[in-house]
C-alpha cells in the first residue's frame, strides 16, 4: 500500500472508487439520502480534479488501483475522505488521516475539523477527534443527523 499525493489524471479511478464505495455502503445501513450526499448523481469530476489539485489531497494505491482518498484545505477542513470498504479495518484510513495531520502540522494549522455521520464518527474518535456539535441538516430534501467534529493538534 502506497500513500501518495494526488496527481492529474487520477480522477477516473476516484470516480470508480466513489461508485464502488457507495454501492457497498448501500448494503451497510446508510440511508439513501446519505448515499446521495456522499456521491450525488450530479458529481462533476472535472471540478473535482481542480479541487484535488488545489488542496492537499492524498490517495492510497494498492497494485496500481486507487483504494482511498483524503483531502484537507488550508484552514484544516477535511472535505473528502473515502476508503474502499474492502480495505476498511486494515489501517488504510489511519494512514490517510496521518498524512492529512502531518500536512496540517507542517502548515501550523492548530485545529482540524470536518462533518460526519454517525457511522463514520467512530473512525474519527479513534484518531482523537471529539464532537463539537450534533446537528440536524437538510440533505437532498430529508432531515439527517450529522456531527461537527474537530481535533486540536499539538506540534
Amino acid at each position: 500500500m502506497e500513500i501518495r499525493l494526488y496527481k492529474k489524471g487520477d480522477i477516473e479511478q476516484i470516480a470508480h472508487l466513489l461508485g464502488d464505495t457507495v454501492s457497498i455502503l448501500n448494503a451497510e445501513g446508510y440511508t439513501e439520502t446519505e448515499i446521495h450526499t456522499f456521491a450525488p448523481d450530479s458529481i462533476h469530476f472535472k471540478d473535482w480534479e481542480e479541487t484535488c489539485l488545489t488542496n492537499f489531497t492524498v490517495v492510497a494505491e494498492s497494485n496500481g488501483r486507487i483504494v482511498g482518498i483524503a483531502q484537507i484545505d488550508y484552514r484544516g477542513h477535511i472535505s473528502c475522505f473515502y476508503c474502499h470498504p474492502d480495505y476498511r479495518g486494515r489501517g488504510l484510513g489511519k494512514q490517510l488521516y496521518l498524512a492529512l495531520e502531518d500536512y496540517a502540522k507542517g502548515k501550523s494549522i492548530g485545529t482540524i475539523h470536518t462533518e460526519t455521520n454517525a457511522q463514520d464518527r467512530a473512525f474519527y474518535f479513534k484518531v482523537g477527534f471529539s464532537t463539537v456539535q450534533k446537528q440536524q441538516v437538510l440533505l437532498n430534501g430529508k432531515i439527517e443527523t450529522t456531527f461537527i467534529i474537530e481535533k486540536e493538534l499539538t506540534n
Side-chain angles (χ1 to χ4, degrees):
M1 186 76 54
E2 176 190 4
I3 306 297
R4 63 167 175 80
L5 287 174
Y6 178 91
K7 63 184 180 196
K8 191 170 180 88
D10 283 344
I11 201 65
E12 185 174 327
Q13 284 197 55
I14 300 301
H16 289 291
L17 168 65
L18 268 58
D20 290 350
T21 300
V22 168
S23 65
I24 292 168
L25 289 177
N26 192 23
E28 293 182 356
Y30 286 77
T31 68
E32 198 65 32
T33 302
E34 288 173 324
I35 290 166
H36 286 292
T37 299
F38 298 146
D41 296 331
S42 63
I43 284 179
H44 300 287
F45 285 101
K46 180 181 178 190
D47 296 340
W48 270 50
E49 177 101 278
E50 183 64 26
T51 299
C52 289
L53 291 169
T54 56
N55 289 293
F56 181 78
T57 308
V58 290
V59 299
E61 192 171 50
S62 178
N63 299 318
R65 178 178 166 219
I66 294 176
V67 295
I69 182 172
Q71 182 180 98
I72 192 169
D73 68 17
Y74 68 93
R75 298 167 301 163
H77 181 256
I78 298 173
S79 54
C80 178
F81 200 103
Y82 291 91
C83 294
H84 192 283
D86 290 348
Y87 289 81
R88 289 184 178 184
R90 298 183 186 183
L92 171 61
K94 187 170 184 180
Q95 289 178 43
L96 287 167
Y97 167 74
L98 289 174
L100 299 183
E101 186 174 299
D102 287 346
Y103 167 82
K105 286 179 178 179
K107 295 293 184 183
S108 299
I109 296 169
T111 304
I112 50 179
H113 54 96
T114 193
E115 303 79 32
T116 191
N117 61 21
Q119 290 91 336
D120 294 337
R121 189 169 60 145
F123 165 78
Y124 288 105
F125 282 172
K126 288 179 186 176
V127 295
F129 279 74
S130 59
T131 299
V132 173
Q133 180 181 345
K134 179 179 178 179
Q135 59 185 5
Q136 301 290 314
V137 295
L138 184 63
L139 297 174
N140 297 317
K142 292 189 180 182
I143 301 290
E144 297 285 337
T145 300
T146 64
F147 301 87
I148 298 171
I149 59 173
E150 70 178 18
K151 180 178 180 181
E152 297 291 327
L153 300 179
T154 56
N155 288 329

